[in-house]
Amino acid sequence: MDTLNESPLPLSWQMPPLERLSHIYMLRLFQEAARTQRPLRLMMKDRAELAAVLNADESALTRRKPATLLTQIVQRLAELEQGESPLESPLARGVLRFGAGFGLSAEECRILLFAVVAGADSYLDNALPSGTAAAGNDLDHLTAVATALPLAAVRAALSPGGLLIRSGLVQRYQRNYELSDRLQLIDGMAASFAEDEQALPFEQRWLARAPAPGMRLQEMSHLRGELETAIAVIKGALEQGNGQDGRGVQVLLYGEPGVGKTELARLIAAEAGAAAYLLPDAGSGGSPLGADVRLRRYAFMQRLLAQQPRSLIVLDEVEEMLASNRAWSGAPPSSPHKAWKNRLLEDSQVPGIWIGNWIHAIDPALLRRFALVLRVPNPPARVRLAMLARYGSGCEQDAQVRAVIARRDDLSPADIRRAHAAALLAEGHSGEAMPLRFLRALAMRAAGEG
């Protein structure tokens, strides 16, 4: 007679919270799978995970009768669920506390916890049973079984209109096999909760403040009227707060690279009295984020900041996020996920300043959603000289420097800043005076751009 060679499992309260929750979810799924009476080998990608949870001999699992196997799964699940509720663990409390603050319902919080565990624990991700309704293409059914929630509640929570999906917190995919890819969280969220759920408030780990502006309003006299309008509009949106009249207030700045659009966005935010936060362009591992992922992150930040007064989001390099997915061919470009992007712009509660180099390939329907669209030209010579004077090296007093800057309308603030920085680095290593080093650096930058 076969045996499963069992040995006592440590008491559930001695297990790490992540491991315990993972095992509970896994056994619930396999319990559902075993009830289908299918051979176990059809249910697993890898026998090792279930064997480890049942503390059984891996090779014996495929010979188990369905009824015997189901009994073992039910017994082990009961052991893990006894005593303190798994929802009382520090990990679960951290996730549920964040979810409640985010505005999720109790059911949505439990689904979020399931997604966190799936994303953080490879056992649950790899041991997903296959060949059953609970583990096939029906993600709603699978989630309902694992979380012990009613199927109708899960379907509502994971619908496009549910807060989990609408906020960008969770993205669902049916085509992927791994559970963490089917129920995909914001990049890095699962690891963030699993590694240190008692650390800084979650919002602080996901929000990066924009640096203070490096320019003053007086220095941008060539755009004074436009900037005063933009500042007034942002102030009005901040004062409206979460009211309907304050929704959808987004400003788009565009112009050639290097003309100072990012600095200008920070200046508008500062003059409006807003706390500006940056939309990230890279994930937790440093890899670049794609356009759709950045839009999801924007929706997520909107929700995080909605309850923080006088907040504003700065989004740089937005062309790909708003552009058409086909080349211009005489017809207006149409952006992928157009309806979703339209709603994202219209329903946003937190004002935003979007920054790009061009607008010709942006879907006109998206462009119309911006409260203001401001072209930022290269500043005139007097403004460029004022920017150089701010660096305090005296270059702007040199007659040759002044003549070059006055003549070269193509010089951008970025050209001036980087040439000045290069000239400073050469100090002590070159016999040339600072103005000459600066002019040489400008000339070399121009040659590189040609």
Side-chain angles (χ1 to χ4, degrees), residues 152-283:
V154 172
R155 283 181 173 161
L158 292 179
S159 69
L163 184 54
L164 285 170
I165 305 297
R166 179 165 43 87
S167 68
L169 187 59
V170 172
Q171 182 81 357
R172 60 178 297 166
Y173 297 95
Q174 297 286 13
R175 64 183 181 274
N176 298 316
Y177 193 88
E178 284 74 15
L179 179 56
S180 60
D181 287 335
R182 294 190 192 186
L183 202 59
Q184 196 175 96
L185 289 170
I186 289 285
D187 174 61
M189 175 176 284
S192 180
F193 273 121
E195 289 169 2
D196 190 4
E197 66 274 3
Q198 297 298 325
L200 292 171
F202 193 80
E203 291 82 353
Q204 294 184 25
R205 287 179 274 171
W206 288 88
L207 296 173
R209 285 290 296 268
M215 62 173 65
R216 295 169 297 179
L217 189 59
Q218 302 91 298
E219 297 173 28
M220 304 302 291
S221 56
H222 63 299
L223 289 174
R224 190 170 191 87
E226 291 89 341
L227 291 181
E228 288 178 348
T229 297
I231 292 166
V233 168
I234 294 294
K235 281 183 176 179
L238 294 172
E239 290 172 2
Q240 291 290 343
N242 294 341
Q244 185 64 38
D245 292 340
R247 287 180 181 269
V249 177
Q250 308 293 312
V251 173
L252 175 63
L253 307 181
Y254 76 98
E256 294 295 323
V259 296
K261 301 183 295 295
T262 303
E263 283 285 323
L264 208 55
R266 297 172 186 169
L267 177 63
I268 292 171
E271 291 291 326
Y277 296 87
L278 299 175
L279 178 76
D281 54 18

Side-chain angles (χ1 to χ4, degrees), residues 4 6 23-41 43-44 50 53-54 56 60-79 81 129 132 134 145:
L4 289 175
E6 294 179 43
H23 288 188
I24 288 172
Y25 292 143
M26 188 191 308
L27 289 173
R28 286 174 181 171
L29 291 170
F30 274 103
Q31 176 179 257
E32 178 75 3
R35 285 175 177 156
T36 67
Q37 303 296 305
R38 291 175 178 267
L40 182 59
R41 62 179 177 273
M43 302 178 197
M44 295 183 295
L50 183 59
V53 175
L54 294 177
L61 290 183
T62 55
R63 300 192 299 271
R64 292 297 86 207
K65 293 180 180 179
T68 303
L69 176 63
L70 180 56
T71 298
Q72 282 299 129
I73 290 173
V74 170
Q75 289 176 349
R76 188 65 79 191
L77 181 58
E79 292 176 6
E81 290 180 328
T132 68
V145 170

Side-chain angles (χ1 to χ4, degrees), residues 2 18 74 83 96 113 126-128 143 150 177 211 305 346 366 414:
D2 278 333
L18 178 63
V74 170
L96 299 179
L113 178 61
N126 294 334
L128 189 63
T143 304
Y177 193 88
L305 291 169
E346 290 174 345
L366 293 178

